[in-house]
Amino acid sequence: MQPAVLSMLFMTLLFNMLPTVFAETPAKPVAEQLVDTLTELAGGPHPGFRSNHAKGIVVEGHFTPAASAAEVTKAEIFTAPHPVVVRYSNATGAPNSADNDGSAFPKGIAIRFQLADEASADLVCISVNGFPAATPEEFLGLLQAVAASRDSQAQPKPIEAFLGQHPAALKFVTIPKPVPESFATQPFFGVNAFKFTNAQGETRYGRYRIEPVGGARFLSADAAKAVDADYLMHELPRRLQQAAYSYRIFVQLADPGDEVNDATSVWPESRRVVELGTLTIDRFRTDGAAFEKTVMFSPLNLVDGIEASDDPILHARPVAYSISFNRRLQGH
């Protein structure tokens, strides 16, 4: 057979196979796309760092339960004292983000309760009461709209169009995010609801709230512009050289009819709040930079007495965290 004929047959065969080849290449799971897009937005990859909340600082302390905690839950993390490890962080996957930059919000706090036999439980919150998306797909759409808007000449830009069609995302983006004096003066809020069960078998859904004992304190607009890019990371070790500081951890309880599976649904302030106990921070962890690269906090690292709601954002978070964690360990 002539070479030209063979070449034509080969090209015909390849052309006919292309639809099958592409059809058999499934899209990446949404959680992996979330990690990829966060990495892109942060100018990454940044080997060894998280795809989100990359810049952080680690401290240690202890938790002391409040008597009222037993009314809500039998969970051992809230009914007995425990040592804790706490990581504060800036949003985004940029490890050198300025602490006072708008893209570094919301701030994050991850609390690991250290239990017997090397067991643990985690509590993960952010500095904004709410979330911009009700599903992982919506959150991915938001991130992709941000990415697409960077070099877009379209009017409106993709992010403007997205926010115009997603009021929860618009609310989250535009809600005031004041710059805190310190991580020690920043309140934090649970993104998702959990199901709490007490020793009598009674169950209630609730969301965490973490409030500084000394009160929330923020910088003025002028002061926020003047601070150093690493001021939060530098301030905390200095503070701990002088004294410990504390938060009170609460759970805001849902009323019947409140939406417990939608992270964008913020419950009214009139909902009952029960104190779970006091979190005291008294030590800066000097090996924190190395420690935080090898640990993954998960909102689904739970103990008996606390269960996950059916919130799809809650169930997507550990999956995305695991993808980011594995890449971090592999130096990606």
Side-chain angles (χ1 to χ4, degrees), residues 232-292:
L232 286 175
M233 309 298 165
H234 292 160
E235 188 275 342
L236 210 57
R238 292 197 299 266
R239 177 181 291 263
L240 287 170
Q241 288 178 350
Q242 303 299 318
Y245 60 91
S246 299
Y247 305 90
R248 295 169 73 194
I249 300 180
F250 299 88
V251 59
Q252 183 192 32
L253 299 176
D255 273 1
D258 285 341
E259 178 56 67
V260 298
N261 297 317
D262 183 347
T264 69
S265 178
V266 177
W267 303 333
E269 288 298 310
S270 58
R271 297 297 179 260
R272 187 172 172 229
V273 174
V274 176
E275 183 175 1
L276 299 175
T278 301
L279 173 67
T280 300
I281 306 300
D282 54 21
R283 296 184 304 281
F284 169 65
R285 184 151 179 162
T286 56
D287 68 342
F291 168 82
E292 66 179 355

Side-chain angles (χ1 to χ4, degrees), residues 88 105 107 126-128 178-189 210-212 215-218 247:
Y88 299 103
F105 290 81
K107 306 299 183 186
I126 62 173
S127 61
V128 176
V179 178
E181 289 184 5
S182 166
F183 281 125
T185 69
Q186 172 68 66
F188 295 93
F189 304 86
I210 304 176
E211 299 181 5
R217 294 196 300 275
F218 302 96
Y247 305 90

Side-chain angles (χ1 to χ4, degrees), residues 33-321:
Q33 292 185 63
L34 284 169
V35 174
D36 289 345
T37 309
L38 285 164
T39 301
E40 175 190 351
L41 289 171
H46 300 287
F49 288 93
R50 290 163 169 78
S51 60
N52 195 13
H53 291 275
K55 183 180 180 180
I57 188 170
V58 181
V59 295
E60 295 182 317
H62 57 276
F63 175 80
T64 304
S68 51
E71 176 190 344
V72 177
T73 181
K74 60 184 178 182
E76 62 175 308
I77 61 171
F78 295 130
T79 56
H82 293 287
V84 298
V85 178
V86 174
R87 181 180 188 262
Y88 299 103
S89 59
N90 288 349
T92 84
N96 295 316
S97 61
D99 297 347
N100 59 340
D101 188 88
S103 65
F105 290 81
K107 306 299 183 186
I109 186 172
I111 305 167
R112 171 150 294 176
F113 295 80
Q114 298 176 304
L115 310 177
D117 300 322
E118 299 185 352
S120 67
D122 296 337
L123 194 165
V124 186
C125 297
I126 62 173
S127 61
V128 176
N129 188 13
F131 199 70
T135 67
E137 291 78 11
E138 284 184 4
F139 190 42
L140 177 61
L142 171 62
L143 297 178
Q144 290 176 333
V146 174
S149 297
R150 286 186 161 181
D151 300 317
S152 174
Q153 301 302 316
Q155 292 297 330
K157 289 185 178 295
I159 184 57
E160 295 170 335
F162 184 92
L163 294 177
Q165 297 167 6
H166 295 82
L170 177 62
K171 178 182 178 181
F172 185 88
V173 168
T174 56
I175 192 172
K177 301 173 183 67
V179 178
E181 289 184 5
S182 166
F183 281 125
T185 69
Q186 172 68 66
F188 295 93
F189 304 86
V191 172
N192 313 105
F194 291 86
K195 183 180 179 181
F196 295 84
T197 303
N198 63 19
Q200 291 73 45
E202 300 166 332
T203 62
R204 294 285 299 272
Y205 282 91
R207 285 196 181 114
Y208 294 114
R209 289 192 166 194
I210 304 176
E211 299 181 5
V213 168
R217 294 196 300 275
F218 302 96
L219 298 175
S220 68
D222 289 340
K225 294 176 183 177
V227 293
D228 181 83
D230 300 314
Y231 86 99
L232 286 175
M233 309 298 165
H234 292 160
E235 188 275 342
L236 210 57
R238 292 197 299 266
R239 177 181 291 263
L240 287 170
Q241 288 178 350
Q242 303 299 318
Y245 60 91
S246 299
Y247 305 90
R248 295 169 73 194
I249 300 180
F250 299 88
V251 59
Q252 183 192 32
L253 299 176
D255 273 1
D258 285 341
E259 178 56 67
V260 298
N261 297 317
D262 183 347
T264 69
S265 178
V266 177
W267 303 333
E269 288 298 310
S270 58
R271 297 297 179 260
R272 187 172 172 229
V273 174
V274 176
E275 183 175 1
L276 299 175
T278 301
L279 173 67
T280 300
I281 306 300
D282 54 21
R283 296 184 304 281
F284 169 65
R285 184 151 179 162
T286 56
D287 68 342
F291 168 82
E292 66 179 355
K293 292 182 184 296
T294 60
V295 66
M296 185 190 102
F297 297 90
S298 169
L300 293 186
N301 183 19
L302 304 171
V303 294
D304 186 34
I306 306 173
E307 300 174 59
S309 65
D310 291 329
D311 186 337
I313 290 291
L314 174 59
H315 291 273
R317 290 169 68 188
V319 181
Y321 296 176

